[in-house]
Protein backbone atom coordinates (compact mmCIF):
# COMPACT_ATOMS: atom_id res chain seq x y z
CA UNK A 1 0.00 0.00 0.00
CA UNK A 2 1.43 3.37 -1.04
CA UNK A 3 0.63 6.69 0.57
CA UNK A 4 -0.99 7.86 -2.68
CA UNK A 5 -2.94 4.75 -3.64
CA UNK A 6 -6.03 5.67 -5.63
CA UNK A 7 -4.82 9.21 -6.38
CA UNK A 8 -4.45 10.69 -9.86
CA UNK A 9 -1.58 13.10 -10.53
CA UNK A 10 -1.25 15.42 -13.51
CA UNK A 11 2.39 16.39 -14.08
CA UNK A 12 3.38 18.93 -16.74
CA UNK A 13 6.75 18.79 -18.45
CA UNK A 14 6.91 15.14 -17.43
CA UNK A 15 8.72 13.85 -20.50
CA UNK A 16 12.17 14.36 -18.94
CA UNK A 17 14.15 15.79 -16.06
CA UNK A 18 12.44 16.98 -12.90
CA UNK A 19 8.95 16.31 -14.23
CA UNK A 20 9.86 12.71 -15.05
CA UNK A 21 11.46 12.29 -11.61
CA UNK A 22 8.36 13.60 -9.86
CA UNK A 23 6.12 11.34 -11.96
CA UNK A 24 8.22 8.29 -11.09
CA UNK A 25 8.18 9.09 -7.38
CA UNK A 26 4.43 9.71 -7.27
CA UNK A 27 3.80 6.48 -9.18
CA UNK A 28 6.00 4.63 -6.69
CA UNK A 29 3.49 5.52 -3.98
CA UNK A 30 0.52 4.24 -5.97
CA UNK A 31 -0.66 7.30 -7.91
CA UNK A 32 -1.88 7.05 -11.48
CA UNK A 33 -0.04 9.59 -13.64
CA UNK A 34 -1.16 11.86 -16.47
CA UNK A 35 2.14 12.56 -18.24
CA UNK A 36 1.89 15.94 -19.99
CA UNK A 37 4.39 17.53 -22.33
CA UNK A 38 5.11 18.72 -25.85
CA UNK A 39 6.90 15.69 -27.31
CA UNK A 40 4.84 12.54 -27.75
CA UNK A 41 7.83 10.21 -27.98
CA UNK A 42 9.22 11.35 -24.63
CA UNK A 43 5.81 11.04 -22.98
CA UNK A 44 5.35 7.52 -24.32
CA UNK A 45 8.80 6.51 -23.03
CA UNK A 46 8.04 7.82 -19.53
CA UNK A 47 4.67 6.06 -19.53
CA UNK A 48 6.46 2.82 -20.40
CA UNK A 49 8.79 3.32 -17.41
CA UNK A 50 5.87 3.99 -15.11
CA UNK A 51 3.93 0.96 -16.32
CA UNK A 52 7.00 -1.23 -15.84
CA UNK A 53 6.86 -0.17 -12.19
CA UNK A 54 3.24 -1.25 -12.00
CA UNK A 55 1.65 2.18 -12.25
CA UNK A 56 -1.17 3.35 -14.45
CA UNK A 57 0.07 6.08 -16.80
CA UNK A 58 -1.34 7.91 -19.82
CA UNK A 59 0.35 10.44 -22.14
CA UNK A 60 -1.27 13.76 -23.06
CA UNK A 61 0.40 16.05 -25.56
CA UNK A 62 0.11 19.70 -24.50
CA UNK A 63 2.28 22.76 -24.90
CA UNK A 64 1.36 24.77 -21.81
CA UNK A 65 1.80 27.97 -23.83
CA UNK A 66 -1.44 26.97 -25.55
CA UNK A 67 -3.64 27.83 -22.56
CA UNK A 68 -6.80 27.63 -24.67
CA UNK A 69 -6.31 23.85 -24.85
CA UNK A 70 -5.88 23.46 -21.10
CA UNK A 71 -9.57 22.94 -20.16
CA UNK A 72 -10.15 20.22 -22.76
CA UNK A 73 -6.90 18.47 -21.80
CA UNK A 74 -7.77 18.52 -18.10
CA UNK A 75 -11.20 17.15 -18.91
CA UNK A 76 -9.63 14.35 -20.96
CA UNK A 77 -7.28 13.47 -18.09
CA UNK A 78 -10.13 13.33 -15.59
CA UNK A 79 -12.27 11.24 -17.92
CA UNK A 80 -9.54 8.75 -18.75
CA UNK A 81 -8.05 8.38 -15.26
CA UNK A 82 -11.12 8.97 -13.11
CA UNK A 83 -10.40 12.41 -11.66
CA UNK A 84 -7.47 14.60 -10.61
CA UNK A 85 -6.10 14.76 -7.06
CA UNK A 86 -2.63 16.23 -7.60
CA UNK A 87 -1.48 18.92 -10.01
CA UNK A 88 2.24 19.53 -10.52
CA UNK A 89 3.05 22.64 -12.57
CA UNK A 90 6.60 21.88 -13.66
CA UNK A 91 6.75 22.90 -17.34
CA UNK A 92 8.56 26.14 -18.14
CA UNK A 93 9.92 27.69 -21.33
CA UNK A 94 11.59 31.06 -21.05
CA UNK A 95 14.57 33.18 -21.93
CA UNK A 96 17.78 33.97 -20.08
CA UNK A 97 20.25 36.79 -20.55
CA UNK A 98 20.92 40.42 -19.67
CA UNK A 99 17.71 42.45 -19.70
CA UNK A 100 18.75 44.64 -22.62
CA UNK A 101 19.31 41.57 -24.81
CA UNK A 102 15.75 40.30 -24.31
CA UNK A 103 12.85 41.18 -26.57
CA UNK A 104 9.40 41.81 -25.17
CA UNK A 105 8.39 38.39 -26.53
CA UNK A 106 11.33 36.73 -24.76
CA UNK A 107 10.35 38.29 -21.44
CA UNK A 108 6.67 37.49 -21.90
CA UNK A 109 7.26 33.83 -22.80
CA UNK A 110 8.43 32.94 -19.28
CA UNK A 111 5.24 34.39 -17.82
CA UNK A 112 3.04 32.61 -20.35
CA UNK A 113 4.62 29.21 -19.68
CA UNK A 114 4.98 29.87 -15.93
CA UNK A 115 2.27 31.72 -13.97
CA UNK A 116 -0.19 32.08 -16.87
CA UNK A 117 -0.11 28.36 -17.70
CA UNK A 118 -0.19 27.38 -14.02
CA UNK A 119 -3.19 29.66 -13.48
CA UNK A 120 -5.06 28.05 -16.38
CA UNK A 121 -4.30 24.53 -15.16
CA UNK A 122 -5.16 25.35 -11.54
CA UNK A 123 -8.53 26.80 -12.55
CA UNK A 124 -9.36 23.86 -14.81
CA UNK A 125 -8.33 21.31 -12.17
CA UNK A 126 -10.06 23.05 -9.24
CA UNK A 127 -13.43 21.24 -9.56
CA UNK A 128 -11.65 17.89 -9.40
CA UNK A 129 -9.13 18.84 -6.70
CA UNK A 130 -11.83 19.96 -4.27
CA UNK A 131 -13.67 16.62 -4.37
CA UNK A 132 -11.30 14.89 -1.99
CA UNK A 133 -8.73 17.33 -0.62
CA UNK A 134 -6.38 17.66 -3.56
CA UNK A 135 -3.08 19.48 -3.75
CA UNK A 136 -1.10 21.64 -6.14
CA UNK A 137 2.69 21.82 -6.39
CA UNK A 138 4.15 24.75 -8.35
CA UNK A 139 7.83 24.75 -9.28
CA UNK A 140 9.60 28.02 -8.58
CA UNK A 141 13.33 28.70 -8.21
CA UNK A 142 16.01 29.87 -5.82
CA UNK A 143 16.84 32.37 -8.59
CA UNK A 144 14.12 34.45 -6.92
CA UNK A 145 16.50 35.11 -4.02
CA UNK A 146 19.78 34.75 -5.90
CA UNK A 147 22.60 37.01 -4.69
CA UNK A 148 23.40 38.02 -8.28
CA UNK A 149 20.42 38.19 -10.65
CA UNK A 150 22.36 39.13 -13.77
CA UNK A 151 21.05 37.09 -16.74
CA UNK A 152 18.34 35.55 -14.51
CA UNK A 153 16.00 38.56 -14.39
CA UNK A 154 13.21 37.36 -16.69
CA UNK A 155 13.27 33.85 -15.21
CA UNK A 156 13.22 35.09 -11.62
CA UNK A 157 10.42 37.56 -12.32
CA UNK A 158 8.17 34.83 -13.72
CA UNK A 159 8.92 32.53 -10.80
CA UNK A 160 8.21 35.28 -8.24
CA UNK A 161 4.80 35.72 -9.89
CA UNK A 162 4.18 31.98 -9.64
CA UNK A 163 5.16 31.99 -5.98
CA UNK A 164 2.66 34.80 -5.34
CA UNK A 165 -0.02 32.86 -7.20
CA UNK A 166 0.75 29.86 -4.97
CA UNK A 167 0.21 31.91 -1.81
CA UNK A 168 -3.03 33.40 -3.13
CA UNK A 169 -4.52 30.07 -4.14
CA UNK A 170 -3.54 28.55 -0.79
CA UNK A 171 -5.47 31.30 0.98
CA UNK A 172 -8.52 31.18 -1.27
CA UNK A 173 -8.79 27.41 -1.73
CA UNK A 174 -8.01 26.19 1.77
CA UNK A 175 -11.72 26.05 2.58
CA UNK A 176 -12.11 23.73 -0.40
CA UNK A 177 -9.64 21.35 1.21
CA UNK A 178 -7.01 22.10 -1.45
CA UNK A 179 -3.41 22.62 -0.38
CA UNK A 180 -1.12 24.67 -2.64
CA UNK A 181 2.64 24.73 -2.13
CA UNK A 182 5.74 25.59 -4.16
CA UNK A 183 9.13 23.93 -4.36
CA UNK A 184 12.42 25.49 -5.45
CA UNK A 185 14.61 22.59 -6.61
CA UNK A 186 18.18 22.06 -7.74
CA UNK A 187 18.30 18.89 -9.82
CA UNK A 188 20.46 17.07 -12.34
CA UNK A 189 18.02 17.62 -15.21
CA UNK A 190 19.08 17.50 -18.88
CA UNK A 191 19.16 21.32 -18.88
CA UNK A 192 21.49 21.34 -15.86
CA UNK A 193 23.72 18.66 -17.35
CA UNK A 194 24.01 20.66 -20.59
CA UNK A 195 24.95 23.79 -18.65
CA UNK A 196 27.43 21.80 -16.54
CA UNK A 197 29.15 20.50 -19.66
CA UNK A 198 29.38 23.99 -21.16
CA UNK A 199 30.53 25.71 -17.95
CA UNK A 200 32.45 23.11 -15.89
CA UNK A 201 34.28 25.58 -13.63
CA UNK A 202 31.14 27.58 -12.82
CA UNK A 203 29.25 24.32 -12.24
CA UNK A 204 31.91 23.16 -9.78
CA UNK A 205 31.68 26.46 -7.89
CA UNK A 206 27.91 26.13 -7.85
CA UNK A 207 28.06 22.62 -6.38
CA UNK A 208 30.63 23.70 -3.80
CA UNK A 209 28.22 26.41 -2.61
CA UNK A 210 25.60 23.78 -1.72
CA UNK A 211 25.99 22.79 1.95
CA UNK A 212 25.04 19.16 1.28
CA UNK A 213 27.64 19.09 -1.48
CA UNK A 214 25.68 17.85 -4.47
CA UNK A 215 22.91 18.71 -6.92
CA UNK A 216 19.74 16.75 -6.22
CA UNK A 217 18.50 13.67 -8.03
CA UNK A 218 15.25 14.31 -9.94
CA UNK A 219 13.43 11.32 -8.45
CA UNK A 220 15.06 10.59 -5.10
CA UNK A 221 15.59 14.16 -3.89
CA UNK A 222 12.90 16.16 -5.68
CA UNK A 223 10.25 13.57 -6.49
CA UNK A 224 10.28 11.99 -3.04
CA UNK A 225 9.88 15.41 -1.42
CA UNK A 226 6.85 16.03 -3.64
CA UNK A 227 5.42 12.70 -2.48
CA UNK A 228 5.70 13.91 1.10
CA UNK A 229 4.08 17.25 0.29
CA UNK A 230 1.18 15.53 -1.46
CA UNK A 231 0.68 12.89 1.22
CA UNK A 232 -1.02 12.81 4.61
CA UNK A 233 2.13 13.74 6.55
CA UNK A 234 1.96 17.28 5.12
CA UNK A 235 -1.80 17.73 5.48
CA UNK A 236 -1.41 20.98 7.50
CA UNK A 237 1.12 22.59 5.16
CA UNK A 238 -0.12 25.05 2.55
CA UNK A 239 1.08 28.31 1.03
CA UNK A 240 4.73 27.38 1.64
CA UNK A 241 7.79 27.54 -0.57
CA UNK A 242 10.02 24.56 0.16
CA UNK A 243 13.66 24.95 -0.96
CA UNK A 244 14.91 21.61 -2.30
CA UNK A 245 18.43 22.86 -2.93
CA UNK A 246 20.65 21.23 -0.34
CA UNK A 247 20.58 24.31 1.87
CA UNK A 248 22.05 26.76 -0.63
CA UNK A 249 19.41 29.52 -0.85
CA UNK A 250 18.25 31.85 1.89
CA UNK A 251 14.48 32.34 1.67
CA UNK A 252 14.22 34.39 4.89
Amino acid sequence: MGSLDGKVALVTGAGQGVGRGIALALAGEGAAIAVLGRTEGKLTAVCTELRERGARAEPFVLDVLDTERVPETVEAVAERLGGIDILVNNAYTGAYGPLLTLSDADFEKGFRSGPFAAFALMKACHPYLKRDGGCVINLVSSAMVRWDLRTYGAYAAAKVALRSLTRTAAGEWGRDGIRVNAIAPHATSPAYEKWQAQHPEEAQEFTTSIPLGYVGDCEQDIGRAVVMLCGPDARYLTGATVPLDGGQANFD
Side-chain angles (χ1 to χ4, degrees), residues 217-242:
D217 178 79
C218 290
E219 180 181 357
Q220 295 302 317
D221 295 310
I222 311 307
R224 291 300 306 171
V226 171
V227 166
M228 182 274 292
L229 291 171
C230 293
D233 289 344
R235 70 176 202 166
Y236 201 51
L237 182 65
T238 194
T241 297
V242 180

Side-chain angles (χ1 to χ4, degrees), residues 20 45 174 177 194 197 200 210 214 227:
R20 170 183 168 273
K194 180 179 179 181
I210 299 173
Y214 71 98
V227 166

Side-chain angles (χ1 to χ4, degrees), residues 166-191:
T166 300
R167 287 284 301 167
T168 303
E172 293 184 359
W173 296 357
R175 298 297 186 185
D176 295 326
I178 301 171
R179 296 184 298 106
V180 188
N181 291 297
I183 62 169
H186 286 335
T188 53
S189 64

Side-chain angles (χ1 to χ4, degrees), residues 141-162:
S141 170
S142 61
M144 301 183 302
V145 295
R146 187 177 171 85
W147 61 94
D148 180 359
L149 275 170
R150 286 176 294 179
T151 76
Y152 290 94
Y155 176 62
K159 293 299 186 178
V160 167
L162 183 55

Side-chain angles (χ1 to χ4, degrees), residues 26-232:
L26 292 171
E29 288 295 326
I33 311 295
V35 181
L36 269 67
R38 294 179 298 181
T39 307
E40 187 172 7
K42 291 181 178 180
L43 304 182
T44 300
V46 172
C47 284
T48 298
E49 285 186 271
L50 294 167
R51 290 166 185 157
E52 287 174 350
R53 297 192 184 192
R56 185 179 180 190
E58 297 290 342
F60 296 86
V61 177
L62 176 70
D63 185 338
V64 297
L65 291 169
D66 188 3
T67 53
E68 291 186 359
R69 286 196 57 233
V70 165
E72 65 187 57
T73 303
V74 167
E75 186 176 344
V77 170
E79 182 176 347
R80 197 178 306 178
L81 294 177
I84 299 170
D85 304 286
I86 297 166
L87 168 63
V88 180
N89 284 308
N90 164 68
Y92 174 84
T93 304
Y96 302 86
L99 294 177
L100 292 179
T101 69
L102 302 178
S103 67
D104 291 352
D106 289 335
F107 191 81
E108 180 184 326
K109 190 174 184 180
F111 281 83
R112 290 177 56 220
S113 69
F116 288 7
F119 180 55
L121 282 152
M122 288 163 67
K123 286 195 300 178
C125 288
H126 180 273
Y128 303 102
L129 295 170
K130 72 177 184 179
R131 292 179 183 178
D132 190 29
C135 65
V136 178
I137 304 293
N138 291 325
L139 272 76
V140 294
S141 170
S142 61
M144 301 183 302
V145 295
R146 187 177 171 85
W147 61 94
D148 180 359
L149 275 170
R150 286 176 294 179
T151 76
Y152 290 94
Y155 176 62
K159 293 299 186 178
V160 167
L162 183 55
R163 186 186 188 192
S164 181
L165 175 63
T166 300
R167 287 284 301 167
T168 303
E172 293 184 359
W173 296 357
R175 298 297 186 185
D176 295 326
I178 301 171
R179 296 184 298 106
V180 188
N181 291 297
I183 62 169
H186 286 335
T188 53
S189 64
Y192 173 81
E193 290 171 348
K194 180 179 179 181
W195 174 79
Q196 182 183 41
Q198 293 173 343
H199 308 277
E201 292 184 6
E202 186 178 351
Q204 181 57 50
E205 291 177 4
F206 178 79
T207 302
T208 301
S209 72
I210 299 173
L212 290 183
Y214 71 98
V215 178
D217 178 79
C218 290
E219 180 181 357
Q220 295 302 317
D221 295 310
I222 311 307
R224 291 300 306 171
V226 171
V227 166
M228 182 274 292
L229 291 171
C230 293

